[in-house]
């Protein structure tokens, strides 16, 4: 750390408080790194423990012990330092700086240091920056602060936050999940202007190629069956362009082979897409397998598409309950109702649905065969059939919510180093 004071820029978004619903600001997952925490208080140790269980630190190896800066210095006297050291201290500014100087003597150059302290003073921040400390958090800290601090060390300095993953799945087969996914992705590209990719994960039966009127020779199967070849350039070649800002990673939609995937089958494809595409929409088929569960849990946003009947209600509740519990530091999974108002069909009302799920639907999309039928058969989006239709507007709104466009606008960065300006904002 300190010896060659290599400073790590803190991405601007870390300075933005997460809006209500903890997972608001987008945090890219950390790579496979080692993290050792030396805490002073059980509260901080508990926050770090909870952070280590967060999906974004799934690949990181986190070890927690007590004893603060003294214990850290002792520990590294005779052993190599990890990628990240997290130190909690309740000492005063000078004692912290002296302690860090001693730690620097036993610390490898590549190690990043995050300090959690109670001192809130600009001169002190400057001294920390000078010593190469990557991040300073003021106690008390929450789980998401720890997740954000560690993850931000590994996203490129000044990088625009890329790689938001939006997973869309049906609560039952045939409820219109793919249609909703394709229309939302189209709106993300066209109306929000965010470069995006739709990945059709229904390999045998996927309809994204039909819906976008594309018949690419290559697609997601080429990547999933050659995991060793997967890198950004390889995946780029598999994409087919639908609009200026939207590309498709198409399903083969053929039955010449069967598709029995392991839980991690799509990991490398997603890592690659996440690194280069601002928004990836996953059209996840209605199945419960290791890989579908893993894709849902690891997504930044989840949308369950449900029809207004009892089986859909039960499945939506089960999905949302499980995903909420598995992702305690994220926005709750959302749902929308689709195909509502089929003539003569008894339906569960949106209000009753909301009561059972304990959340309102993001949207209630009416059953409109005269709109959706031609769109599906002609390979068009709803907005292409009728741009001013209120259903097209619903897709635009869902695109906005799922890409976090309702979040607080980010301020301009000043001349100060990112850590410093961030801390000054806090102090002021
Ligand atoms: N709101 C709607 N009104 C009328 N038809 C709709 C509506 N939404 C979707 N559809 C139609 O329902 C059919 C099924 O849609 P889609 O293939 O998107 O469902 P799915 O949930 O992805 O199905 P699967 O379980 O097979 O993946 C399509 O023909 C689509 O055009
Ligand atoms: Mg589908």
């Amino acid at each position: 750390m300190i010896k060659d004071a290599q400073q790590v820029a803190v991405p601007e978004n870390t300075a933005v408080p997460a809006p209500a619903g903890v997972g608001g600001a987008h945090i890219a997952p950390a790579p496979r790194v080692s993290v050792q925490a030396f805490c002073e208080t059980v509260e901080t140790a508990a926050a770090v423990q909870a952070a280590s269980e967060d999906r974004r630190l799934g690949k990181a190896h986190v070890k927690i012990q007590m004893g603060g800066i003294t214990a850290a210095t002792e520990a590294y006297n005779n052993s190599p330092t990890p990628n990240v050291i997290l130190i909690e201290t309740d000492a005063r500014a000078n004692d912290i700086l002296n302690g860090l100087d001693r730690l620097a003597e036993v610390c490898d150059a590549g190690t990043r240091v995050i300090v959690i302290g109670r001192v809130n003073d600009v001169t002190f921040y400057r001294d920390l920056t000078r010593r190469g400390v990557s991040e300073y958090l003021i106690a008390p800290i929450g789980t998401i602060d720890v997740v954000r601090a560690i993850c931000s060390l590994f996203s490129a300095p000044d990088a625009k936050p890329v790689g938001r993953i939006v997973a869309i799945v049906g609560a039952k087969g045939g409820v219109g999940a793919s249609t909703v996914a394709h229309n939302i992705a189209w709106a993300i590209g066209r109306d929000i202007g965010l470069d995006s990719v739709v990945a059709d994960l229904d390999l045998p039966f996927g309809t994204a190629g039909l819906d976008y009127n594309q018949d690419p020779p290559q697609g997601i199967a080429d990547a999933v069956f050659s995991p060793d070849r997967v890198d950004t350039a390889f995946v780029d070649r598999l994409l087919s362009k639908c609009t200026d800002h939207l590309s498709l990673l198409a399903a083969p939609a053929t039955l010449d082979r069967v598709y029995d995937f392991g839980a991690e089958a799509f990991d490398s494809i997603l890592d690659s897409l996440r690194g280069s595409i601002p928004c990836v929409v996953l059209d996840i088929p209605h199945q419960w397998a290791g890989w579908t569960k893993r894709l849902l849990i690891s997504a930044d946003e989840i949308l369950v598409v449900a029809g207004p009947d009892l089986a859909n209600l039960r499945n939506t509740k089960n999905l949302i309950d499980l995903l909420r519990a598995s992702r305690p530091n994220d926005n709750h999974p959302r749902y929308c109702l689709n195909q509502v108002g089929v003539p003569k069909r008894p339906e569960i009302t949106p209000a009753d649905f909301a009561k059972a799920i304990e959340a309102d639907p993001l949207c209630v999309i009416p059953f409109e065969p005269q709109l959706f039928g031609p769109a599906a058969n002609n390979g068009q989006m709803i907005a292409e059939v009728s741009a001013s239709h209120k259903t097209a507007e619903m897709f635009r709104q869902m695109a906005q919510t799922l890409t976090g466009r309702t979040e607080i606008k980010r301020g301009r960065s000043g001349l100060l180093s990112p850590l410093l300006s961030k801390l000054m904002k806090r102090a002021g």
Side-chain angles (χ1 to χ4, degrees):
M1 66 163 202
I2 300 159
K3 274 172 258 170
D4 64 346
Q6 190 208 23
Q7 196 180 304
V8 176
V10 180
E12 262 183 71
N13 62 333
T14 58
V16 179
V22 267
H26 183 235
I27 303 171
R32 214 170 287 282
V33 289
S34 53
V35 181
Q36 286 181 13
F38 295 86
C39 302
E40 296 273 19
T41 63
V42 287
E43 290 78 16
T44 298
V48 178
Q49 176 62 38
S52 74
E53 290 158 18
D54 186 271
R55 65 182 173 91
R56 283 154 289 216
L57 294 181
K59 287 188 187 150
H61 183 76
V62 184
K63 201 173 135 198
I64 305 163
Q65 54 200 85
M66 303 304 283
I69 206 162
T70 319
T73 311
E74 272 168 24
Y76 300 125
N77 252 328
N78 299 314
S79 57
T81 45
N83 301 104
V84 180
I85 302 176
L86 204 144
I87 290 171
E88 182 188 20
T89 170
D90 42 21
R92 283 194 306 236
N94 268 345
D95 296 334
I96 297 175
L97 296 173
N98 291 337
L100 286 172
D101 288 341
R102 280 193 296 278
L103 179 65
E105 287 163 21
V106 296
C107 199
D108 303 332
T111 294
R112 322 276 178 85
V113 175
I114 298 172
V115 177
I116 301 168
R118 280 162 185 78
V119 181
N120 190 355
D121 171 78
V122 171
T123 321
F124 172 64
Y125 305 149
R126 233 173 242 139
D127 290 335
L128 286 180
T129 312
R130 215 171 284 137
R131 281 166 172 79
V133 167
S134 301
E135 253 290 14
Y136 179 68
L137 305 172
I138 297 173
I141 45 113
T143 303
I144 201 71
D145 301 319
V146 179
V147 174
R148 185 182 296 121
I150 296 172
C151 291
S152 69
L153 298 179
F154 300 97
S155 41
D158 299 329
K160 290 205 186 85
V162 297
R164 183 185 287 260
I165 304 223
V166 177
I168 302 184
V169 70
K172 235 174 84 171
V175 290
S178 297
T179 309
V180 169
H182 305 162
N183 278 279
I184 288 177
W186 196 88
I188 291 172
R190 178 60 69 96
D191 300 307
I192 300 180
L194 208 57
D195 284 325
S196 38
V197 162
V198 176
D200 188 345
L201 294 152
D202 187 352
L203 274 81
F205 303 117
T207 51
L210 298 176
D211 284 358
Y212 294 119
N213 200 14
Q214 299 271 328
D215 188 16
Q218 288 184 302
I220 196 158
D222 298 271
V224 78
F225 289 115
S226 341
D228 302 340
R229 295 177 61 198
V230 169
D231 59 23
T232 306
F234 180 72
V235 175
D236 261 4
R237 284 198 295 277
L238 305 179
L239 298 176
S240 66
K241 208 167 166 61
C242 301
T243 65
D244 276 356
H245 293 289
L246 177 67
S247 298
L248 167 65
L249 194 51
T254 53
L255 303 179
D256 47 354
R257 63 207 307 177
V258 290
Y259 304 97
D260 297 322
F261 300 123
E264 295 171 14
F266 293 97
D267 281 16
S268 51
I269 303 174
L270 282 199
D271 282 350
S272 155
L273 287 171
R274 190 189 259 121
S276 57
I277 312 280
C279 184
V280 180
V281 176
L282 304 181
D283 175 2
I284 301 184
H286 173 72
Q287 340 174 347
W288 194 239
W291 64 273
T292 51
K293 181 179 174 191
R294 186 175 172 87
L295 287 175
L296 286 166
I297 288 178
S298 66
D300 295 293
E301 291 287 346
I302 301 166
L303 178 68
V304 178
V305 180
D309 67 24
L310 193 58
N312 271 287
L313 175 58
R314 180 201 60 189
N315 297 353
T316 305
K317 179 141 185 64
N318 285 346
L319 273 167
I320 289 189
D321 285 352
L322 180 129
L323 292 168
R324 266 189 195 175
S326 318
R327 305 153 44 88
N329 310 309
D330 281 275
N331 280 340
H332 287 164
R334 306 169 201 266
Y335 74 98
C336 72
L337 291 171
N338 188 30
Q339 305 191 359
V340 171
V342 173
K344 299 201 171 110
R345 180 174 76 170
E347 293 181 355
I348 297 176
T349 64
D352 286 342
F353 218 96
K355 211 152 120 200
I357 305 291
E358 295 170 61
D360 288 329
L362 203 52
C363 248
V364 178
I365 307 170
F367 175 68
E368 284 166 317
Q370 71 294 358
L371 180 65
F372 282 81
N377 288 338
N378 299 335
Q380 285 180 304
M381 293 294 109
I382 296 303
E384 291 178 297
V385 176
S386 174
S388 58
H389 200 284
K390 62 181 184 330
T391 303
E393 178 55 29
M394 286 183 194
F395 289 126
R396 280 194 284 275
Q397 275 172 11
M398 287 199 281
Q400 265 174 1
T401 308
L402 293 168
T403 51
R405 294 292 121 164
T406 45
E407 282 173 16
I408 303 157
K409 285 264 181 305
R410 299 187 166 112
R412 292 182 54 218
S413 57
L415 292 171
L416 294 170
S417 80
L419 173 60
L420 211 54
S421 61
K422 176 181 152 190
L423 292 165
M424 285 187 68
K425 264 185 220 160
R426 253 186 223 161

